[in-house]
């Protein structure tokens, strides 16, 4: 719990599943929280928990020095911040709405024109994880402002600053999500394949989970091949990897579950 000496005024705009979790974490941390949501009922629920419900987005945007945005997308952010530009001047805005890196940079150019300090963020957690040790949030942009508000941001999850480029947090975010989707796609495919031999996806999950956990520890070594290829000694040749993936593809065809997945993996990993 933050004591009253360090309590800050913080506004949260957007009280969907995630914005509500963020606002609750701020309230639990002892901050003075102003909230706004397009559908007012969600703000009223938080008012019962101690937040001040603003009547308009502009009222919320100008109630605090620190403004957290957790709206649907870049368009909904623009819709509400642009009309308030002059009154947002001098404040710090942390945009936790998922956007592309270029959308984050575009908002940054607009913010710079209006003397607004902008931090972009990517939340690596689901709402139920907010404030728990498993949650972390990527940030990029105005580093001095990030440091200034670090203790507040820590209430959401471990803050990870990834660069001054406003597009950096979004780029790390989508890259991590890409890893997740690739894993789920391969599991989906494998689940169908093992069922063709009388097995089950549940048994595959049991066996695949510890193997993938062990493989994940090799990512740091693999990173050398991307960051510093001149220092990298490849353990497995591209030809070996391509042949291994071709064999998996053949097994998929034999099981009646052909897919484009393995061709894509082969080209991405080996260029062959
Ligand atoms: N939920 C999650 O697990 C993920 C984790 C990673 C980050 N995302 C991003 O967080 C943003 C908000 O996500 P959310 O889960 O809170 O989403 P919803 O529950 O669908 O709430 C959406 C809120 O946005 C408001 N909204 C939508 N359009 C507008 C608009 N044009 N003007 C003003 N507000 C708008 C919506 O309001 P309402 O429908 O209640 O009136 C909600 O407050 C998102 O970028 C995720 O990608 C969450």
């Amino acid at each position: 719990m933050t004591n009253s000496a360090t309590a800050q005024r913080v506004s949260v705009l957007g009280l969907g599943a995630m914005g509500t979790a963020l606002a609750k974490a701020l309230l639990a941390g002892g901050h003075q929280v102003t909230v706004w949501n397009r559908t007012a009922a969600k703000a009223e629920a938080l008012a019962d928990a101690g937040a001040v419900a603003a009547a308009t987005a502009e009222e919320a945007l100008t109630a605090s020095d620190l403004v957290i945005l957790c709206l649907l997308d870049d368009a909904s952010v623009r819709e509400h911040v642009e009309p308030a530009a002059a009154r947002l001047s001098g404040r710090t805005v942390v945009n936790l709405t998922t956007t592309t890196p270029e959308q984050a940079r575009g908002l940054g150019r607009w913010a710079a024109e209006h003397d607004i300090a902008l931090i972009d963020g990517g939340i690596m957690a689901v709402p139920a994880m907010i404030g728990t040790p498993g949650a972390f949030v990527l940030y990029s942009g105005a580093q001095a402002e990030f440091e200034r508000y670090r203790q507040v941001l820590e209430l959401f999850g471990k803050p990870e600053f990834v660069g001054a480029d406003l597009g950096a947090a979004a780029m790390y975010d989508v890259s991590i999500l890409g890893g997740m989707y690739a894993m789920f796609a391969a599991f989906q495919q494998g689940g169908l394949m093992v069922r063709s031999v009388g097995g089950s996806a549940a048994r595959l999950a049991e066996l695949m989970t510890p193997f993938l956990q062990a493989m994940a520890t090799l990512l740091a070594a693999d990173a050398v091949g991307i960051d510093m290829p001149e220092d990298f000694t490849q353990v497995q040749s591209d030809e070996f990897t391509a042949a291994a993936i071709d064999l998996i593809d053949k097994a998929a065809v034999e099981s009646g579950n052909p897919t484009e997945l393995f061709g894509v993996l082969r080209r991405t990993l080996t260029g062959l």
Side-chain angles (χ1 to χ4, degrees):
M1 166 89 57
T2 303
N3 64 39
S4 57
T6 55
Q8 311 260 359
R9 277 189 306 202
V10 188
S11 293
V12 179
L13 283 86
L15 300 172
M18 185 54 82
T20 297
L22 300 176
K24 284 183 177 170
L26 292 167
L27 287 168
H31 296 289
Q32 297 171 38
V33 184
T34 298
V35 293
W36 174 82
N37 192 62
R38 180 179 61 177
T39 306
K42 292 180 190 169
E44 284 153 20
L46 275 163
D48 293 341
V52 174
T56 63
E58 180 150 350
E59 190 181 310
L61 286 167
T62 54
S64 310
D65 290 333
L66 176 61
V67 174
I68 310 283
L69 304 176
C70 193
L71 296 167
L72 183 66
D73 56 12
D74 183 59
S76 52
V77 168
R78 295 284 191 148
E79 182 186 334
H80 296 288
V81 296
E82 284 180 358
R87 296 192 64 205
L88 268 174
S89 179
R91 300 177 204 274
T92 299
V93 173
V94 180
N95 186 18
L96 297 178
T97 308
T98 303
T99 67
T100 70
E102 198 38 46
Q103 285 171 337
R105 291 188 195 105
L107 191 68
R109 287 188 287 274
W110 169 83
E113 282 168 21
H114 299 282
D115 188 32
I116 299 161
L118 182 66
I119 298 168
D120 191 61
I123 302 174
M124 307 314 300
V126 296
M129 289 168 68
I130 293 301
T132 69
F136 68 100
V137 184
L138 306 160
Y139 295 98
S140 60
Q143 187 163 12
E145 302 302 311
F146 166 77
E147 292 302 341
R148 181 173 167 199
Y149 290 113
R150 178 189 277 274
Q151 281 187 310
V152 178
L153 301 175
E154 277 172 352
L155 291 168
F156 303 150
K158 189 177 179 216
E160 297 277 6
F161 191 81
V162 291
D165 177 346
L166 266 163
M171 199 63 94
Y172 276 92
D173 185 348
V174 295
S175 300
I176 294 169
L177 293 178
M180 178 189 78
Y181 285 119
M183 178 187 76
F184 281 121
F187 177 70
Q188 173 89 16
Q189 174 77 22
L192 296 173
M193 287 161 66
V194 297
R195 284 179 65 82
S196 77
V197 294
S200 70
R203 181 72 175 129
L204 180 66
E206 207 174 272
L207 298 169
M208 197 189 254
T209 301
F211 184 74
L212 290 183
Q213 281 169 340
M215 291 299 102
T217 66
L218 303 180
L219 290 178
D222 224 41
V224 178
I226 303 165
D227 290 338
M228 294 171 286
E230 63 285 1
D231 295 343
F232 185 61
T233 309
Q234 196 166 345
V235 177
Q236 189 169 289
S237 73
D238 287 340
E239 288 70 20
F240 184 97
T241 302
I245 294 172
D246 283 348
L247 189 138
I248 304 169
D249 188 51
K250 205 168 174 187
V253 173
E254 284 177 6
S255 73
N257 294 289
T259 176
E260 292 171 19
L261 179 64
F262 299 110
V264 172
L265 292 183
R266 182 191 209 269
R267 286 190 295 281
T268 305
L269 288 173
T270 71
L272 298 174

